[in-house]
Amino acid sequence: MNQPRWLVEITGDKFHLEDLPAFFPDGDMYVVQEGERYYIVGPALEVTADHAEVRALALARLEIFAGAMKLLFGHYKTPALAGTYREHPDGRRDAFASGVVAELTIFSKIRANLDGATGPTQAQVLTTASMKNKALTTAMILWADEARTWPRLYRILDEVEEGLGNTVSNLDLCSDNQRERFMRSANSPSVAGLDARHSAGNKIPPAKPMTLVEATKFMQGVMLKALTYSGGRGADG
């Protein structure tokens, strides 16, 4: 007999949703496809009988999933939650609140694992690593947001370094020059404009300032390396 379970539907363009079960196939929360619908399920949702709390847990994890997808593919818009359901052993489902449908931005269709491959997918590795401590979780949620401003990118770097307990250049995740160029660009009003972290005249820009596009790509690379590094270490306190 089947066990009762929670299902939280996620919505968006089918072209994008259909790959999520391959990227997140198992774990404490994962994505399943049933016909034309996609759901977040898993034992981590079974800790409560409150459908609102289940929905909150699924939304928090969806942000992490979206952050991992954006790291892997660059431009990716977080899907939305739709209905929340409680499935009974006989297959009946009680329906709860629904959300708003959201579109997903197109990305290249690359499967999570090659056919026959075993072990966690790259998206799962990034997700697990980002949940090792609060700072890395915050960095991943910030990365999942659509905002790509200088203050946001600098905040992500701060959270990554807090989570790792060291600077990314000291850990050889980038060079000292790259980190310095990013920070000086973000701090300088002549580069970052009104988004600069310091007032005019306070900070001298680097000889070759980063553009915001370059800074975004830099932080994407740093995040990928940082989470890979974190994933290879033992669990943090």
Side-chain angles (χ1 to χ4, degrees):
M1 180 179 292
N2 294 329
Q3 296 294 316
R5 63 172 179 167
W6 287 106
L7 302 94
V8 183
E9 187 175 2
I10 52 177
T11 59
D13 189 284
K14 181 178 181 295
F15 181 83
H16 309 285
L17 292 176
E18 66 185 6
D19 279 338
L20 291 179
F23 283 100
F24 304 102
D26 51 30
D28 66 338
M29 280 194 221
Y30 54 98
V31 179
V32 297
Q33 178 182 1
E34 294 186 357
E36 297 297 312
R37 294 188 172 189
Y38 297 82
Y39 302 91
I40 295 177
V41 299
L45 296 178
E46 303 304 323
V47 299
T48 178
D50 182 352
H51 70 88
E53 187 175 348
V54 166
R55 191 175 184 83
L57 291 170
L59 179 60
R61 187 61 60 89
L62 183 59
E63 290 179 325
I64 300 295
F65 285 173
M69 297 298 279
K70 288 183 181 184
L71 285 174
L72 293 174
F73 297 106
H75 194 52
Y76 182 88
K77 189 174 182 180
T78 305
L81 297 185
T84 303
Y85 304 90
R86 185 61 173 171
E87 184 178 80
H88 300 283
D90 62 5
R92 292 180 299 109
R93 290 181 181 177
D94 297 327
F96 296 92
S98 295
V100 179
V101 174
E103 295 182 356
L104 299 179
T105 306
I106 291 177
F107 63 89
S108 300
K109 291 176 67 65
I110 303 174
R111 290 293 175 181
N113 278 338
L114 297 175
D115 292 341
T118 59
T121 68
Q122 188 176 6
Q124 286 178 304
V125 170
L126 295 173
T127 297
T128 299
S130 73
M131 295 191 298
K132 292 182 72 172
N133 60 56
K134 182 178 179 181
L136 292 178
T137 300
T138 299
M140 186 68 116
I141 292 173
L142 289 170
W143 184 259
D145 197 309
E146 294 298 308
R148 290 291 182 264
T149 63
W150 284 105
R152 177 57 57 86
L153 294 175
Y154 202 104
R155 168 74 185 281
I156 292 172
L157 178 62
D158 281 345
E159 295 292 347
V160 167
E161 294 186 337
E162 173 69 20
L164 297 181
N166 207 333
T167 68
V168 290
S169 55
N170 282 346
L171 295 173
D172 294 326
L173 306 182
C174 71
S175 69
D176 287 330
N177 287 339
Q178 287 175 312
R179 181 176 181 274
E180 180 72 11
R181 183 179 169 221
F182 168 80
M183 295 176 69
R184 289 177 61 189
S185 296
N187 284 331
S188 174
S190 66
V191 178
L194 294 177
D195 279 336
R197 298 179 67 253
H198 292 276
S199 60
N202 259 0
K203 294 294 179 179
I204 301 173
K208 186 180 180 182
M210 280 189 179
T211 65
L212 185 57
V213 171
E214 288 177 315
T216 300
K217 290 181 178 178
F218 167 75
M219 278 310 308
Q220 181 182 5
V222 165
M223 282 277 289
L224 282 167
K225 291 177 182 178
L227 292 175
T228 300
Y229 170 84
S230 179
R233 300 194 303 178
D236 291 335

